[in-house]
């Protein structure tokens, strides 16, 4: 059974707060506008919805409240009796029963009033029935004022109860007041129970936790118990009695042999006998406390006899231990002994139960039997035995050979550590042996490891000495770090995997790469004049190379991350002249001519073609508009041919056949059409083809338009009767009604 968490219970509002919550929720969540001109069915549904919503809100709140509070018949007997002790079982059940009855009454009122609203013939009658229904529901809630207040107090107290698990490993301490129970709990757990030199400092159950044998143990400190009949015990004492009666635990009964608690040893023994029936089937430890003030050995004999008689009367489950909270003598022994006794009892109870048979039937233990009487010892090869003997005698220890190839010599090197097969070109006078005979490169000075700077100055200074990084190699055996590279490894020759001509092959590859690059560059330079079939001279090649470099720089600048931090303009208006006096415009004729002349290109013909295209653009648009008004394709072709010939003839004749006014109007119309085309190019709302919008065809454009309209539907939704709007700051229902002297509450 899990630990009960009463802290999750929701607060219980008072009767008036409950009414406010329900009515405000109804006002916010239901429509608020209705007119007499509406259909009668719509008016009925409007008020029926309000009644149903109010009833549903009250029912949900009361149902959640009944579900939060525990049923005393469904929880552990310890918690059931504890609630009976603290809150009175009858009062508790009566309050919950009244809440359940109120919920049923609210449902009945709502059902009857909705049946009457169905036959309402006007807005006024439906409204009166709605007011009557809500008023009756609120009256039912107000009558539960006492029950709601009581349940809120119970909830507050239950939320402060300790999180106690009735089925886990538990140590429970009991005894008369002020005998040292709380002090012992503070010693063995992380709890912080208040300890004072007067009785009944502990007024409720306190729970702490300790660890023993890698297990979590629950330690419960109970209030003090006085020696009088059960009927005369108060609520504080009954909490301890309830814990003793229902928890399967190891009980520690504390006795104060110094009698500083205010009770004699005889009174403590009488209390032990009076609550002894509660110790049945429990592991009991009689703890003799405060031996620092009164040692047990110097205690009077008659008192010793009384204490030992308690142990004999209690049976084999009882043991006696001595301790002191001040000197901490025997504290750990008491804790360990109580835990061991409870562990043994739990194991015995499980073994003696019925469940152990189902487990043992699934276990099978195999016992191997000898096939013959021959004794077989462990086999160790002879080579291994010889190597062990040589290592033990110090003969077989072979000194590792170090390599100096590729490293500058140091004064710490030893000639004995060098492989004699290596071709060591280091002069012998540079290999200085250390005086102390050590062979490590990182020698110590006065017990301190030398730094790389010190080793550098000792071995020739900067540019001469190179550090030996082999000391930092992380190998399975540290002695392998300075080993020479072998010629044979795993039965394979290392030289077979080294190509002796690798340098020559690399040089040939580099030469071939340079030759191919030169041929590619020459081909690109000559490719510029394929149209003219004329080779470039040196100056022209230099100009072409400069143009290519600038193009490369422009592409690099365009592809960089910060190069597109500007709005993208359509290509047809990009760089267009915004001001005729702007000399910095990129597409201005003078700017183009100047920029092309800088690279040695004559731009006269190019600019003339641009001016001609600019003059012909309005004519082309007018011709297309005329052709668009005609339906037949063949007629369009004929008209296009005739129109183009006519325009060419008019161009050649200088506009003969027209009056000066007509020519002036045509010129003005062309200028305005150019301005309109520029404005449309800049506009984002002009109609575009599907391909211009990034869509495949017209069907896909229709689908995209539907998706866009669906996404914008909630933006342009019309208001309905469900929209709560306040036309004035103070609405009528908040400022009308009865107001008595001394209160502003109105419903």
């Amino acid at each position: 059974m899990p630990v009960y968490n009463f802290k999750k219970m929701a607060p219980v509002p008072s009767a008036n707060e409950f009414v406010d919550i329900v009515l405000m929720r109804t006002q916010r969540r239901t429509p608020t506008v209705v007119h007499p001109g509406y259909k009668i069915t719509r008016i009925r549904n409007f008020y029926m919805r309000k009644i149903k919503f109010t009833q549903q809100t009250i029912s949900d709140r009361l149902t959640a409240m009944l579900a939060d509070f525990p049923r005393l018949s469904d929880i552990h007997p310890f918690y059931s009796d504890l609630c009976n002790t603290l809150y009175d079982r009858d009062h508790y059940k009566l309050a919950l029963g009244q809440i359940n009855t109120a919920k049923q009454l609210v449902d009945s009122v709502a059902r009857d009033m909705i049946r009457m609203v169905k036959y309402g013939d006007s807005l006024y009658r439906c409204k009166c029935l709605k007011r009557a229904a809500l008023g009756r529901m609120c009256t039912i809630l107000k009558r539960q004022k006492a029950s709601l207040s009581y349940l809120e107090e119970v909830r507050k107290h239950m939320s402060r109860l300790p999180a106690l698990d009735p089925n886990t490993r538990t140590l429970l301490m009991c005894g008369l007041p002020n005998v040292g129970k709380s002090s012992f709990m503070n010693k063995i757990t992380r709890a912080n129970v208040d300890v004072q030199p007067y009785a009944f400092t502990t007024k409720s159950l306190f729970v702490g936790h300790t660890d023993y044998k890698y297990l979590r143990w629950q330690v419960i400190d109970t209030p003090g118990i006085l020696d009088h009949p059960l009927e005369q015990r108060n609520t504080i004492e009954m909490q301890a009695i309830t814990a003793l009666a229902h928890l399967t635990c190891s009980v520690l009964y504390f006795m104060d042999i110094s009698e500083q608690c205010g009770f004699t040893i005889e009174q403590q023994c009488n209390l032990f006998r009076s609550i002894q029936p509660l110790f049945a089937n429990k592991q009991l430890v009689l703890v003799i406390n405060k031996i620092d003030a009164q040692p047990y050995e110097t205690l009077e004999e008659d008192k010793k006899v009384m204490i030992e008689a308690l142990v004999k009367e209690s049976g084999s489950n009882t043991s006696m231990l001595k301790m002191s909270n001040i000197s901490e003598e025997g504290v750990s022994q008491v804790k360990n002994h109580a835990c061991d006794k409870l562990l043994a009892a739990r194991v015995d109870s499980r073994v003696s139960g019925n469940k152990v048979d189902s487990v043992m039937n699934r276990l099978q233990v195999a016992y191997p039997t000898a096939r013959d009487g021959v004794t077989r010892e462990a086999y160790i090869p002879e080579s291994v035995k010889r190597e062990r003997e040589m290592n033990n005698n110090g003969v077989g220890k072979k000194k590792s050979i170090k390599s100096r190839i590729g490293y500058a010599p140091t004064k710490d090197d030893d000639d004995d550590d060098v492989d004699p097969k290596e071709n060591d070109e280091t002069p012998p006078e540079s290999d200085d042996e250390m005086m102390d005979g050590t062979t490590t490169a990182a020698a110590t000075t006065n017990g301190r490891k030398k730094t790389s700077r010190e080793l550098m100055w000792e071995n020739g200074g900067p540019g001469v000495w190179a550090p030996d990084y082999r000391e930092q190699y992380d190998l399975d055996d540290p002695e392998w770090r300075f080993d020479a590279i072998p010629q044979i490894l795993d039965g394979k020759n290392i030289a077979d995997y080294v190509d002796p001509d690798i340098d020559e092959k690399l040089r040939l590859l580099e030469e071939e790469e340079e030759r191919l690059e030169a041929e590619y560059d020459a081909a690109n330079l000559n490719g510029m004049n394929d149209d003219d079939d004329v080779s470039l001279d040196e100056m022209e090649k230099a100009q072409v190379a400069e143009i290519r470099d600038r193009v490369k720089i422009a592409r690099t600048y365009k592809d960089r991350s910060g190069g597109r931090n500007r709005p993208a303009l359509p290509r047809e208006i990009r760089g267009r002249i915004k001001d005729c006096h702007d000399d910095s415009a990129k597409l201005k004729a003078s700017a183009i001519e100047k920029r092309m002349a800088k690279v040695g290109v004559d731009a006269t013909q190019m600019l003339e073609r641009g001016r001609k295209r600019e003059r012909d653009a309005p004519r082309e648009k007018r011709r297309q508009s005329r052709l668009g008004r005609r339906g037949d394709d063949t007629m369009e072709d004929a008209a296009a041919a005739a129109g183009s010939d006519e325009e060419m003839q008019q161009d050649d004749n200088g506009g003969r056949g027209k009056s000066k006014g007509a020519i002036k109007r045509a010129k003005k119309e062309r200028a305005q059409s150019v301005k309109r085309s520029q404005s449309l190019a800049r506009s984002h709302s002009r109609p575009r083809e599907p391909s211009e919008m990034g869509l495949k065809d017209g069907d896909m454009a229709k689908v995209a338009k539907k998706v866009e309209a669906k996404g914008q539907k909630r933006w342009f939704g019309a208001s309905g009767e469900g929209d709560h709007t306040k036309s004035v700051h103070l609405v009528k229902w908040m400022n009308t009604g009865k107001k008595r002297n001394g209160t502003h509450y109105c419903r």
Side-chain angles (χ1 to χ4, degrees), residues 117-177:
V117 171
K118 286 181 180 179
Y119 297 98
D121 55 356
S122 66
L123 185 145
Y124 177 75
R125 291 194 178 184
C126 293
K127 182 177 180 180
C128 291
L129 291 173
K130 185 265 297 183
R131 292 182 62 185
L134 267 62
R136 291 182 184 181
M137 295 180 193
C138 295
T139 302
I140 294 172
L141 292 179
K142 289 179 182 178
R143 289 176 181 173
Q144 309 304 319
K145 181 177 180 180
S147 298
L148 293 173
S149 301
Y150 168 76
L151 290 176
E152 174 62 12
E153 294 300 324
V154 170
R155 184 198 68 82
K156 290 179 182 178
H157 194 277
M158 292 183 73
S159 65
R160 293 192 294 267
L161 290 177
L164 191 150
D165 188 357
N167 299 311
T168 189
R169 297 166 290 273
T170 306
L171 302 180
L172 190 142
M173 298 174 289
C174 63
L176 284 161

Side-chain angles (χ1 to χ4, degrees), residues 228-504:
H228 46 232
L230 183 65
E231 297 78 9
Q232 299 179 8
R233 290 194 170 101
N234 57 18
T235 304
I236 297 176
E237 297 175 271
M238 286 303 298
Q239 296 182 49
I241 298 298
T242 303
L244 283 171
H246 294 290
L247 297 180
T248 303
C249 57
S250 180
V251 180
L252 283 71
Y253 183 83
F254 280 75
M255 292 185 65
D256 181 8
I257 61 174
S258 66
E259 299 182 355
Q260 294 177 354
C261 60
F263 301 95
T264 62
I265 294 179
E266 183 179 1
Q267 291 175 329
Q268 298 179 47
C269 294
N270 293 336
L271 175 64
F272 182 89
R273 291 187 175 91
S274 65
I275 63 175
Q276 190 172 3
L278 299 175
F279 300 152
N281 300 324
K282 292 182 175 64
Q283 304 302 314
L284 179 61
V285 179
L286 184 61
V287 181
I288 307 301
N289 195 15
K290 301 185 181 180
I291 60 175
D292 57 319
Q294 173 61 56
Y296 185 77
E297 291 77 12
T298 60
L299 191 64
E300 300 174 1
E301 287 297 329
D302 55 345
K303 296 181 179 180
K304 283 185 179 181
V305 171
M306 293 171 60
I307 295 172
E308 293 172 357
L310 294 178
V311 179
K312 293 179 181 179
E313 293 173 4
S314 301
S316 59
N317 289 341
T318 306
S319 57
M320 184 181 69
L321 294 175
K322 299 177 283 294
M323 59 162 282
S324 171
N325 288 321
I326 300 298
S327 62
E328 298 186 358
E329 179 184 353
V331 172
S332 299
Q333 288 78 359
V334 170
K335 168 193 165 184
N336 298 343
H337 182 72
C339 294
D340 290 335
K341 291 190 69 173
L342 183 60
L343 277 179
R346 288 167 66 94
V347 172
D348 293 341
S349 64
R350 292 182 180 180
V351 171
S352 60
N354 297 328
K355 292 183 179 180
V356 69
D357 295 335
S358 60
V359 176
M360 293 300 294
N361 292 336
R362 288 177 288 176
L363 299 179
Q364 183 178 359
V365 182
Y367 297 96
T369 57
R371 60 185 179 183
D372 51 26
V374 179
T375 302
R376 295 176 173 83
E377 301 291 341
Y379 173 73
I380 301 176
E382 294 296 333
S383 59
V384 176
K385 292 181 179 179
R386 288 195 301 270
E387 186 174 356
R388 286 182 179 179
E389 292 178 359
M390 295 172 65
N391 291 337
N392 293 335
N393 298 332
V395 178
K397 292 182 180 179
K398 186 178 180 181
K399 199 171 184 180
S400 61
I401 299 177
K402 298 181 181 180
S403 174
R404 283 203 308 251
I405 294 180
Y407 297 93
T410 64
K411 73 185 193 64
D412 297 333
D413 291 339
D414 193 353
D415 291 337
D416 297 336
D417 297 335
V418 181
D419 190 355
K421 297 179 181 179
E422 292 182 1
N423 185 14
D424 190 4
E425 299 178 357
T426 305
E429 59 271 10
S430 63
D431 294 341
D432 299 329
E433 296 181 356
M434 293 187 65
M435 299 300 296
D436 54 0
T438 60
T439 59
T440 58
T444 58
T445 304
N446 298 328
R448 178 181 61 82
K449 185 178 179 180
K450 289 185 178 181
T451 63
S452 298
R453 190 182 191 86
E454 294 174 350
L455 293 173
M456 178 183 67
W457 289 111
E458 288 179 359
N459 297 281
V464 177
W465 177 79
D468 193 352
Y469 294 107
R470 292 177 296 179
E471 292 184 357
Q472 303 175 8
Y473 289 175
D474 186 11
L475 303 178
D476 294 339
D477 189 350
E479 295 184 355
W480 297 348
R481 294 177 299 174
F482 301 97
D483 289 351
I485 298 177
Q487 294 183 359
I488 304 297
L489 181 64
D490 297 335
K492 299 178 181 179
N493 190 356
I494 300 297
D496 294 341
Y497 297 90
V498 178
D499 190 354
D501 302 332
I502 186 66
D503 294 334
E504 183 63 22

Side-chain angles (χ1 to χ4, degrees), residues 581-596:
H581 302 289
D582 186 9
D583 296 333
S584 61
K586 294 183 178 180
L587 296 185
K588 194 174 181 181
S590 59
I592 294 175
E593 186 175 6
K594 184 178 179 181
R595 192 161 59 252
M596 297 303 293

Side-chain angles (χ1 to χ4, degrees), residues 182-237:
S182 300
S183 300
F184 177 74
M185 183 174 181
N186 290 340
K187 293 289 184 183
I188 66 172
T189 68
R190 291 181 288 273
N192 186 16
V193 185
D194 188 20
V195 177
Q196 298 295 338
Y198 51 82
F200 288 105
T201 305
T202 303
K203 297 183 177 62
S204 62
L205 299 177
F206 283 88
V207 179
H209 294 85
T210 185
D211 295 329
Y212 179 70
K213 288 187 176 180
Y214 303 102
L215 297 174
R216 179 59 59 90
W217 293 74
Q218 185 176 247
V219 184
I220 302 177
D221 182 18
T222 61
I225 307 174
L226 297 179
D227 185 17
H228 46 232
L230 183 65
E231 297 78 9
Q232 299 179 8
R233 290 194 170 101
N234 57 18
T235 304
I236 297 176
E237 297 175 271

